[in-house]
């Protein structure tokens, strides 16, 4: 059928270039349509485009990063911790959303990711979270990445880079070699794009007068 289409297309083009007649165009077009079994009276349907998978993924990232960012603001506004939040997701459902609790718990390890993993394990009644993902408002520190690996979470999506937190006064830069090590262990680690990254990065500027450093 493809070869026939190409052949008739060339024949039609050659004829029209010689004839330059509207009647010839109409009759030849009808002849080609009959040969190709095309119904010229049928209505022309509009072309539709499927949503790009990347766009759908970004919407999902934004949904859960926005929730983690909200948790980060709650931590400083309530005075219980520093501006970091995390959400654990299974499938498309939120399991838990938590924020940093270092001041409330008098515990320097009570980071948002640590708290979220602990709460998710309790809620699900298991320590293997291999069917879960974690969304963090900021790039997880080495301690948090260690627990993420131990809990067998396979996907980490974060909003702000650790450098942004470091510039705000937090000691938590993550060496590239450290990230590569965890990626090689089977964990997908990536930064969210677009608006999700922007709202996460502005947390530190917007809350700088509310959180305290110790």
């Amino acid at each position: 059928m493809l070869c026939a289409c190409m052949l008739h297309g060339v024949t039609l083009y050659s004829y029209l270039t010689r004839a330059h007649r509207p009647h010839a165009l109409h009759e030849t077009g009808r002849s080609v349509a009959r040969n190709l079994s095309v119904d010229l009276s049928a209505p022309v349907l509009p072309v539709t485009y499927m949503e790009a998978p990347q766009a759908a993924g970004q919407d999902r990232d934004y949904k859960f990063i926005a929730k983690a960012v909200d948790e980060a603001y709650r931590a400083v506004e309530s005075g219980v911790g520093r501006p970091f939040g995390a959400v654990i997701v299974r499938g498309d459902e939120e399991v838990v959303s938590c924020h940093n609790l270092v001041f409330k718990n008098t515990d320097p390890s009570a980071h948002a990711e640590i708290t979220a993993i602990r709460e998710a394990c309790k809620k699900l009644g298991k320590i293997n979270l291999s069917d879960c993902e974690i969304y963090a408002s900021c790039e997880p520190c080495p301690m948090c990445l260690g627990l993420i690996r131990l809990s067998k979470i396979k996907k980490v999506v974060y909003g702000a880079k650790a450098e942004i937190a470091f510039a705000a006064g937090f000691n938590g830069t993550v060496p590239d070699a450290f990230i590569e090590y965890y990626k090689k262990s089977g964990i997908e680690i990536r930064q969210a794009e677009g608006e999700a990254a922007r709202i996460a990065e502005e947390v530190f500027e917007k809350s700088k007068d509310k959180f305290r450093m110790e």
Side-chain angles (χ1 to χ4, degrees):
M1 180 63 74
L2 178 59
C3 294
C5 291
M6 293 176 63
L7 177 59
H8 283 294
V10 172
T11 304
L12 175 60
Y13 178 80
S14 301
Y15 178 82
L16 292 177
T17 12
R18 291 196 306 269
H20 299 291
R21 292 179 301 175
H23 180 71
L25 172 60
H26 178 71
E27 292 303 321
T28 307
R30 290 174 62 86
S31 175
V32 171
R34 284 195 298 271
N35 289 337
L36 297 180
S37 300
V38 176
D39 184 3
L40 292 179
S41 65
V44 178
L45 298 177
V47 177
T48 57
Y49 298 91
M50 296 182 66
E51 181 182 14
Q54 293 88 345
Q58 286 184 13
D59 289 344
R60 188 174 191 274
D61 285 355
Y62 180 83
K63 174 183 176 180
F64 294 119
I65 290 294
K67 186 61 181 291
V69 165
D70 182 60
E71 289 286 348
Y73 283 120
R74 288 181 60 192
V76 294
E77 287 169 0
S78 60
V80 298
R82 291 168 175 163
F84 300 93
V87 179
I88 290 183
V89 177
R90 183 168 64 172
D92 287 324
E93 298 296 324
E94 176 187 314
V95 178
V96 295
S97 61
C98 301
H99 47 263
N100 187 288
L101 293 171
V102 294
F103 300 134
K104 179 180 179 179
N105 295 354
T106 321
D107 178 4
S109 72
H111 288 195
E113 298 91 333
I114 302 290
T115 304
I117 290 171
R118 289 171 176 167
E119 291 302 314
C121 288
K122 290 177 183 177
K123 184 173 182 177
L124 298 176
K126 61 180 184 177
I127 62 172
N128 184 335
L129 301 181
S130 57
D131 57 347
C132 296
E133 308 165 16
I134 187 165
Y135 287 78
S137 63
C138 188
E139 187 174 8
C141 72
M143 178 185 68
C144 293
L145 283 172
L147 186 57
I148 287 169
R149 183 173 182 273
L150 287 175
S151 64
K152 296 182 171 58
I153 290 175
K154 295 299 183 183
K155 181 178 178 181
V156 180
V157 181
Y158 60 87
K161 292 286 290 182
E163 287 82 354
I164 303 296
F166 182 78
F170 295 97
N171 182 19
T173 55
V174 184
D176 291 338
F178 198 86
I179 293 294
E180 289 305 314
Y181 167 76
Y182 281 101
K183 284 183 177 179
K184 288 178 180 178
S185 69
I187 303 175
E188 177 189 346
I189 305 174
R190 64 175 175 82
Q191 182 182 22
E193 299 179 354
E195 184 68 5
R198 187 192 68 78
I199 63 171
E201 290 172 353
E202 68 181 14
V203 167
F204 301 102
E205 179 63 27
K206 287 188 173 183
S207 62
K208 65 182 180 180
D209 297 327
K210 296 182 181 179
F211 63 80
R212 67 183 192 269
M213 304 296 296
E214 290 184 4

